[in-house]
Amino acid sequence: MMTSAEIRKQFLDFFASKKHQIVASAPIVVKNDPTLLFTNAGMNQFKDYFLGNKKPESTRVADTQKCLRVSGKHNDLEEVGVDTYHHTMFEMLGNWSFGDYFKKEAIAWSWELLTEVYKLDKDRLYVTIFEGDAKENLPKDEEAYNEWKKYIAEDRILSGNKKDNFWEMGDTGPCGPCTEIHVDCRTDEERRATDGKTLVNNDHPQVIEIWNNVFMQFNRLKDGSLQPLPAQHVDTGMGFERLVRVIQGKQSNYDTDVFTGTIKVTEEITGKKYGYSDSRQDIAFRVLADHIRAISFTIADGQLPSNTGAGYVIRRILRRAVRYYYSYLDYKQPLLFQLLPVIAEQFADVFPELQQQVAFVSKVIREEEEAFLRTLEKGLKRIDDLVTAAGKSEEKQIGGKAAFELFDTFGFPIDLTRLIASENALEVDEPGFEAEMQQQKNRSRAATAVDTEDWVVLKEHGMSEFVGYDTLEINSKVTRYRKVKAKGKELVQLVLEATPFYAESGGQTGDTGILSFDGELVEVIDTRKENNLTIHLAEKLPVNITAVVNAAVNREKRHTITSHHSATHLLHAALRKVIGTHVAQKGSLVNAEHLRFDFSHFAKVTEEEIAQVEAIVNEKIRANIPVHIKEMNKDEAVQMGAMALFGEKYGDIVRVVIMDPAYSVELCGGTHVGFTGELGLFKIKHESAVAAGVRRIEAVCGTIAATWVNEQLGQLNQVRELLKHPKELIKATEVLVTENSDLRKKIESLEAKQLVAIKQELLKQVETVNGSNFIGAQVEVSNADGLKKLCFELKNELDNYLVVLTANIEGKAHVAVLIDEQLAAAKSLEAPKIIKEHIAGLIKGGGGGQKTLATAGGQDASNLGQVTERVKALL
Ligand code: ATP
Ligand code: MG
């Protein structure tokens, strides 16, 4: 039987033989595209080619692309594991034509590959074509129909509607009619009983779509209309895991060698057996085998789990997996991280980035699992309480708010809450839950909603060339602009033919500056990249948008940013020297205020290491090393020792920044100083942890560093002054600290003695009221704790008692009420109730505590006498 690795290779070899260039998968985490968090189809990385914003190196390309479908337009998460053919992360095999071949070749080659190379049974195949759509004014795809007719019987060419046969990446963007290939994997007997044709596109688990050929012809605009693209393209996507299952003759994707390794390890770890069924236990096996891939590949591509955006999506996938093994495999410790070695090994040749970072990814997953398992246990306690309360109530129902809290805070999906509820003969208020959910969605939508209008294009194919490495001011023209509205604020985005403005990327923030149109000044408040366009953000449009524009970057700010960027390179190299070559960049931020550098390292960076790192960087600054920037072949750069970042996409030609070839060589698109001496001074301000296995250093250089150092020295001088200019500052401070703690100890022991004296005094004042012992007194104590301590002392000396002690501490009222358990029961009195009903009002405050001992505090200390009387009256 052909292995999955062989099947993948044959796909790529086949299209290479048809003159396609084989390219690498883009990272799974998307940067520079506000419409997507994750790659959801092979075509994402080529979007600009379809839109004409960029020219491809080759007009025929093929690859296998890591895709994730858990958010946005394509979201399969809830199906995963429940069915056997939708995954969170999957590989999409694809071939592309950028304005080269079209329907005829695409159809011929997909048929050839499936039937001649993979030798699929022709009478198990069906194809679908677009039937047209009157509303959109789109005709039936006759061309595709006529091409298919050459290979397949006409009764196997089915027509499909817009939902199935018109592919769109998102709400806007490239789109077009598509033709899909479906395979009927049922047994011969089943096939005789029901015609396969009737099961296509009907969610039958054995009659599944494997390949979609999209013919990109349109761009969907914001108003919903379709605009023809400058050229016609082919974009195909075949689900690798589904293809393998069909070729290997399996009933489920999980029975192929893509997943069986992981399932086997899960069996070994949990001691449970995978039974191929729809039981919750078997679903759990599938969920784990699937989710571990999505989690580990996104982390390897640089996305850590977090509370927002893409990081939150990863966190949710991970929690779904944890919840499944916890509940259905009865495994209560971190499990996912144990599956990592199998996955890393399996993909070492195709996606080596995982194997290369296996220790790091494993650490991140494990800590995330541990944290969530703790939350999960708290959640289970919470649900226990809810179940008990609901059991006693009349509705016998867990409320919508509570169910939502379980979901939102503890990660309990509604089906788990429902299950636990039904095990206890309870119901869940699901409409209430849905309403809460909707409210939250609306809240987050309102917070992040960006309303983007279509581009107004003044000049087609404006490539927006960046000239800002060498120049900070040029004359240019606007090629396109549009309005955007975010958080209620209207802004305009402008694209120029050429620009000196650096668009935020690689951690370096975007430039600010001025665009001057015929003397009218428009301020650029930020510069960002969207795919390959450099977008200038401004608050208004100029009157004369077609005029020549003078674009000038804020020079001073740019220089500070640039210095911080160069300092980041010096820092990175110094870290690798001092703490080891395992240090890999995990994120960076470079702006005019500081630089922030995140890197993989499992321990706190010690004071000495920080000092060493700082010293090396400053030494390199004083050496005034010339900074060389070269474009070269990627392999050449790697040979020079340049490190590529994980999750970053590089072309064949890369830009390399060299600060002494023996010290720092980095692939980098940012701006840099000419000589390291320009940085002047480098200071590390903080070192901290950001996530499991990731440390963060914040540092400054140049005048910012000088200012910061002066501030620190200023504070030191103030301290010196406060201590009256001692000869040895540190010694003097130590003496002060020691003295202070000695004094505190002395005071504590004196207070303890005093309390004993007060207690003796109070015991003399015991009154008998209606047969019970009562003490009511105002006492002198220095803090509220004193009252409590007195109560504890009195408790041991009395029985059948009610005690109320008050104190005026710096003008505030403090009260403690102590009552013996039997007396409390007999008189149905409880200490917190006494406070609430009889004391809180008198002292203008409140408090609480245990049944037998409660304390309160308040603003008004003038009625403490009355407090004692009131409590006494209760007897
Ligand atoms: P389906 O209707 O089965 O969800 P789709 O119409 O969403 O598929 P496309 O967007 O056309 O699929 O993607 C192209 C191919 O990618 C599909 O033919 C299928 O083989 C594969 N595919 C799509 N979604 C998934 C998924 N969640 N897991 C695995 N493979 C998938
Ligand atoms: Mg789908």
Side-chain angles (χ1 to χ4, degrees), residues 567-744:
T568 307
H569 286 207
L570 294 179
L571 168 66
H572 187 184
L575 279 169
R576 288 172 62 87
K577 264 200 164 52
V578 174
I579 61 180
T581 48
H582 62 278
V583 165
Q585 176 169 343
K586 286 290 161 214
S588 83
L589 174 75
V590 173
N591 61 27
E593 284 75 48
H594 63 193
L595 69 90
R596 214 171 69 191
F597 186 71
D598 296 348
F599 55 99
S600 49
H601 182 52
F602 290 155
K604 188 168 170 50
V605 187
T606 64
E607 295 275 331
E608 296 94 89
E609 287 166 335
I610 293 277
Q612 260 176 295
V613 167
E614 208 176 78
I616 293 180
V617 173
N618 280 313
E619 183 190 307
K620 296 294 170 188
I621 291 174
R622 284 192 299 273
N624 202 20
I625 304 166
V627 179
H628 292 296
I629 298 181
K630 290 191 188 136
E631 301 222 315
M632 58 176 89
N633 222 298
K634 189 175 169 208
D635 298 336
E636 209 182 318
V638 170
Q639 275 207 332
M640 272 192 79
M643 281 194 320
L645 291 185
F646 293 110
E648 209 61 55
K649 222 182 102 195
Y650 297 99
D652 291 337
I653 299 295
V654 291
R655 186 169 180 268
V656 185
V657 178
I658 306 157
M659 302 176 187
D660 175 359
Y663 180 70
S664 162
V665 181
E666 288 203 31
L667 302 181
C668 177
T671 64
H672 288 276
V673 296
F675 290 86
T676 58
E678 289 176 50
L679 307 187
L681 171 68
F682 173 81
K683 288 304 289 177
I684 291 178
K685 287 169 67 172
H686 290 293
E687 191 273 346
S688 58
V690 256
V694 183
R695 310 294 305 183
R696 166 171 294 174
I697 281 183
E698 268 178 65
V700 283
C701 68
T703 40
I704 303 220
T707 311
W708 186 73
V709 170
N710 283 339
E711 270 168 27
Q712 304 296 308
L713 289 175
Q715 287 179 15
L716 209 56
N717 274 334
Q718 281 177 28
V719 173
R720 199 170 272 131
E721 208 151 290
L722 285 171
L723 295 179
K724 307 265 182 299
H725 298 278
K727 262 207 205 90
E728 286 171 279
L729 182 61
I730 298 194
K731 233 198 191 132
T733 314
E734 275 169 2
V735 168
L736 196 67
V737 171
T738 326
E739 253 178 34
N740 195 35
S741 106
D742 287 349
L743 286 175
R744 177 167 300 137

Side-chain angles (χ1 to χ4, degrees), residues 69 76 86-87 90 92 167 209-212 237 239 242:
R69 291 199 169 177
D76 295 330
H86 279 98
H87 301 294
F90 63 100
M92 196 185 278
W167 199 88
E209 173 191 331
I210 58 163
W211 201 350
N212 196 355
R242 293 188 191 178

